[in-house]
Amino acid sequence: MVKALGNSEEAALLQHRIDDMNQRWNDLKAKSANIRAHLEASAEKWSKLLVSLEELIKWLNLKDDELKKQMPVGGDVPTLQQQHDHCKALRRELKEKEQVILSAVDQARMFLADQPIEGPEEPRKNLHSKSELTPEEKAQKIAKAMRKQSAEVKEKWESLNTCASGWQKQIDQALEKLKDLQCSMDDLDADLREAENVRNGWKPVGDRLIASLKDEVDKTTAFREEILPISLKIKCINDLSSQLSPLELHPSLKVSRQLDDLNMRWKLLQISIDDHIKLLQEIHHDYRPESQDFLSSSVQLPWQRSVSHNTVPYYINHQTQTTSWDHPKMTELFQSLSDLNNVRFSAYRTAIKIRRLQKALCLDLLDLNSTNEAFKQHKLIQNDQLLCVQDILSCLTTIYSGMEEKHEDLVNIPLCVDMCLNWLLNVYDSARTGKIRVQSLKIGLISLSKGLLEEKYRYLFREVAGPIEMSDQRQLGLLLHDAIQIPRQLGEVAAFGGSNIEPSVRSCFQQHNNKPEIDVKQFIEWMRLEPQSMVWLPVLHRVAASETAKHQAKCNICKECPIVGFRYRSLKHFNYDICQSCFFSGRTAKGHKLHYPMVEYCIPTTSGEDVRDFTKVLKNKFRSKKYFAKHPRLGYLPVQTVLEGDNLET
């Protein structure tokens, strides 16, 4: 009985457990059904949230790319201002988007809180129903994607905000510093411009009244003290510039150039003020000629000759109480040269001016051999050697002493030496440093000496040629550079290619197949073509030859007979002659045009030349206007020029 009772209790307990398990199973089934129904009902809602998260990720990526494209920090105020405006606009967009992003992340968090923790995925048993997912599987898939994308949205949102905040701080600091720098530079520029205007208003030292030199020294010294605050502003802009590097700000090329320009202008301003004061003091304290006493007689009262600290002479007019670098006779000579400006053609105009200068310096009496002997006597061998004024005077004294022995009545040694020194300094040392290169002295004197033209070409070439009497492009360039300074000093360099001698050098070597070196024969062949940079030299010789020439012909314009000087015969019309005055002024008559071919004679013609010209006129009579338009006649080898110049010569 007891055993039966025990079995009955166990059975009842077992049944109770079974009933409890059934109840729990039924509750679980009901809950699962409820979850499934809930998932199916809200699937569309969570899918939309997932799409929203994807769009937010794209938007955040887009804004991140836009922000990166703005980097690095701009180098000038306009660029920085644009970056600053873009950053502010981005911050406003982030502020406006903040609620949307936080709401989406919060909704995702709420959805994920209701989902069970995902376990490892199990392989599906029914492979044929692979495309069909149960609600639970769909929920797990959505939850997985949502967890990933919500985390990505949150991460990118925080990163973008941090980056935008740091970028704005960096831009704000850089913009503030660069604005301060730009403002300081503009202020400094105004101060420098004002000081430079004062400096540029100074009269040349040679034009100062002697009595006012001391006052001028005091005024200039006071001006130097007055502009000292500019140095503090220079230090300020340099300090501000150094503060840009820690901000990863590299100034733009324009800002850097402005900064360098301001520093350089301040430096040059200080140098010019110091030099001006020094020169004023030297002229004020030094009126005594030192070792150049024998030249004091080159000027007459009220003029007095004096020398500066570097032995460069200057001249004092006691009547007007002014000083000048130029000898009074040199000043008169250059004033007279202005009368020649009405000569139409540049080569003739320049050559006539140089001829007048040559005769005033008595260099038309100097032969090439005497010049060369003087160079040897004074051991002027190294072309790059710098000669001081005393060395130049020593050489010139030797030259003019020899000339005086042959032309006692024509050569005044003190006047000629002083005038020639003045001219050499004007041509090769306009800054009055008191130094001239040996080669410059040689080329200047040889160019204005007398002699046959080709002989002069040989002398000039030998002065620059190497030991084997060959010249490369550099040596020829040095020769042309020194030679072109002669017309440059007369203000006539534009028509001869300007100061740029490169095209002339190039034309010479191109004529000789671009060989690395040329000899004297090749140099003379090139010079016969009258290259543009040297055309004044052969024209100078023709001008000298024409001075005593008389032609038995009558000018068809002014009727002068006989024609004295140059004679120009038309190769288009029979018996049409023009004197040099009419030709130089560009006058024409009887339908003759300036572009018609003409031949120039600086000495009387021979019968053979007359027959040759008659034949040419006969040929030209049958040529059309188009022929002359297509075959213009140039009197020298044309090259490219830096400055504008008239290159139409006969």
Side-chain angles (χ1 to χ4, degrees), residues 347 350-351 354 443 446-447 453 456-457 460-461 476-487 493 495-498 500-501 504-505 507-508 523 526-542 635-637 639:
T350 305
I354 295 176
I443 291 176
I446 291 174
S447 297
L453 184 58
K456 185 176 291 187
Y457 290 160
L460 289 171
F461 183 85
L476 179 60
L478 291 172
L479 165 61
L480 298 184
H481 172 78
D482 280 338
I484 202 66
Q485 302 309 309
I486 297 173
V493 74
F496 307 105
N500 180 19
I501 47 80
S504 292
V505 175
S507 72
C508 176
F523 174 74
W526 177 65
M527 288 296 291
R528 285 173 181 162
L529 296 175
E530 297 188 3
Q532 186 170 7
S533 61
M534 290 292 288
V535 67
W536 59 271
L537 186 55
V539 178
L540 170 63
H541 278 252
R542 298 204 298 272
Y636 50 76
L637 183 67
V639 296

Side-chain angles (χ1 to χ4, degrees), residues 593-636:
K593 305 295 183 183
L594 289 176
H595 64 271
Y596 284 170
M598 301 191 75
V599 62
E600 171 200 276
Y601 288 108
C602 58
I603 57 176
T605 59
T606 63
S607 58
E609 290 168 331
D610 291 337
V611 173
R612 181 199 63 190
D613 291 345
F614 176 84
T615 306
K616 290 183 178 180
V617 172
L618 197 60
K619 289 181 180 179
N620 289 331
K621 280 291 184 181
F622 297 98
R623 287 171 173 160
S624 64
K625 293 181 179 179
K626 291 184 178 179
Y627 176 86
F628 295 110
K630 291 182 179 179
H631 299 81
R633 292 177 61 83
L634 297 178
Y636 50 76

Side-chain angles (χ1 to χ4, degrees), residues 158-170:
E158 292 174 351
S159 174
L160 183 59
N161 272 279
T162 301
C163 187
S165 178
W167 175 246
Q168 183 172 19
K169 183 178 179 181
Q170 187 179 4

Side-chain angles (χ1 to χ4, degrees), residues 234-294:
I234 288 287
K235 184 178 183 303
C236 177
I237 64 169
N238 290 328
D239 289 344
L240 286 172
S241 174
S242 66
Q243 295 174 17
L244 301 178
S245 296
L247 301 175
E248 298 181 6
L249 193 161
H250 302 286
S252 66
L253 183 61
K254 180 180 178 182
V255 174
S256 297
R257 283 179 175 174
Q258 185 180 3
L259 188 64
D260 293 341
D261 180 63
L262 291 169
N263 278 283
M264 181 57 68
R265 285 166 62 191
W266 170 241
K267 185 176 180 180
L268 292 177
L269 180 63
Q270 290 178 300
I271 292 173
S272 63
I273 292 173
D274 291 342
D275 288 348
H276 189 65
I277 292 175
K278 184 177 179 181
L279 188 56
L280 286 169
Q281 289 173 336
E282 288 169 350
I283 294 178
H284 178 66
H285 294 299
D286 187 5
Y287 291 109
R288 297 171 300 167
E290 298 175 356
S291 59
Q292 304 176 26
D293 294 341
F294 75 102

Side-chain angles (χ1 to χ4, degrees), residues 557-576:
I557 299 175
C558 71
K559 310 306 179 184
E560 177 189 6
C561 185
I563 293 177
V564 179
F566 283 111
R567 172 194 176 192
Y568 297 90
R569 174 186 282 173
S570 173
L571 296 180
K572 175 70 174 175
H573 296 147
F574 291 108
N575 297 323
Y576 188 95

Side-chain angles (χ1 to χ4, degrees), residues 372-422:
N372 196 40
E373 288 300 321
F375 294 155
K376 291 180 179 178
Q377 179 180 338
H378 291 272
K379 299 180 181 179
L380 303 182
I381 300 173
Q382 297 295 329
N383 283 342
D384 290 331
Q385 177 188 350
L386 290 176
L387 299 175
C388 66
V389 171
Q390 194 58 46
D391 295 330
I392 301 169
L393 286 174
S394 180
C395 181
L396 292 178
T397 302
T398 300
I399 289 174
Y400 280 104
S401 296
M403 290 167 58
E404 186 191 32
E405 293 177 3
K406 300 176 183 178
H407 310 281
E408 183 177 356
D409 298 335
L410 299 177
V411 177
N412 178 337
I413 293 181
L415 178 61
C416 289
V417 170
D418 213 12
M419 287 275 285
C420 192
L421 172 64
N422 193 170

